[in-house]
Amino acid sequence: MAAMEKLAGNFFLVGLMGAGKTTVGRALARRTGKTFYDSDQEIEARTGVRVATIFDIEGELRFRNREACVIRDLAQQRDIVLATGGGAVMREENRKVLASHGTVIYLRAAIDDLLARTQHDKNRPLLQIADPRAKLESLFNERDPLYREIADIIIDTTQQNVNLLVARLFDQLLASPHHPKETD
């Protein structure tokens, strides 16, 4: 049996809510033997409170402060896959931490797909409004340049099968000249 090829370093997933960061992140972590984290789930584990409740009680600014601490802490670890919150890139400090501690993968999807994936999810505080499509379009226009600024790889998740998408992503990571490989 050939030695398993393992990609070194951390992988950080960025993109709008509904782009597939958690789903793809879990599958990528399994494929690469890395530990998976989701920054929103980590905030909930540390506070004992749901993200939507933090937004309601403390507001978005305080939530973003918590998020920055979690991202900074997790980025210090080795061999992780981290699915970040969609708005994490709004803070320059988060963009710097992510870009300097691993490979940033921007998961991009069409607005129709994002809307379909998030429309029944009550844990998306920014979309609990009358016109979630307009909000997603606004967030995309605001955040897409920031995602692109730090992305090492951009991958379209629109109407994609997760296993095929992760296989394509893995191949791109293997082919990338600045990603060292380890052999077990």
Side-chain angles (χ1 to χ4, degrees), residues 139-159:
L139 291 171
F140 177 85
N141 291 333
E142 180 181 34
R143 296 174 181 176
D144 181 65
L146 301 174
Y147 295 139
R148 290 176 178 280
E149 171 190 314
I150 61 169
D152 296 299
I153 294 174
I154 299 173
I155 196 153
D156 187 356
T157 66
T158 301
Q159 298 181 350

Side-chain angles (χ1 to χ4, degrees), residues 110-127:
I111 296 294
D112 285 342
D113 273 29
L114 297 173
L115 193 59
R117 294 173 189 170
T118 60
Q119 67 185 357
H120 299 296
D121 188 343
K122 299 303 177 205
N123 294 315
R124 310 272 185 187
L126 294 178
L127 296 184

Side-chain angles (χ1 to χ4, degrees), residues 54-67 86-88 90-91 125-126 135 139 142-143:
I54 296 169
F55 261 76
D56 287 346
I57 295 172
E58 297 183 355
E60 186 174 359
L61 178 63
R62 298 277 302 279
F63 169 78
R64 296 295 174 201
N65 291 341
R66 291 180 185 279
E67 180 180 58
M90 297 305 294
R91 287 211 172 165
L126 294 178
K135 184 63 175 179
L139 291 171
E142 180 181 34
R143 296 174 181 176

Side-chain angles (χ1 to χ4, degrees), residues 4-108:
M4 184 182 127
E5 194 167 40
K6 184 175 175 184
L7 298 171
N10 294 330
F11 301 134
F12 304 127
L13 302 174
V14 300
L16 283 177
M17 60 186 99
K21 297 180 301 288
T22 300
T23 302
V24 171
R26 279 196 178 106
L28 182 62
R30 276 193 305 273
R31 174 97 190 241
T32 59
K34 296 181 184 296
T35 304
F36 174 75
Y37 292 95
D38 176 293
S39 61
D40 285 352
Q41 292 171 3
E42 188 68 16
I43 290 166
E44 290 179 351
R46 291 181 184 193
T47 63
V49 179
R50 299 196 59 82
V51 166
T53 304
I54 296 169
F55 261 76
D56 287 346
I57 295 172
E58 297 183 355
E60 186 174 359
L61 178 63
R62 298 277 302 279
F63 169 78
R64 296 295 174 201
N65 291 341
R66 291 180 185 279
E67 180 180 58
C69 289
V70 164
I71 288 171
R72 193 172 46 250
D73 289 352
L74 292 175
Q76 303 302 316
Q77 295 192 31
R78 299 177 60 78
D79 287 325
I80 69 162
V81 175
L82 172 62
T84 64
V89 297
M90 297 305 294
R91 287 211 172 165
E92 184 178 6
E93 83 178 273
N94 291 342
R95 294 194 305 274
K96 286 180 178 178
V97 165
L98 294 172
S100 65
H101 287 87
T103 301
V104 179
I105 302 160
Y106 172 19
L107 300 185
R108 194 170 185 277

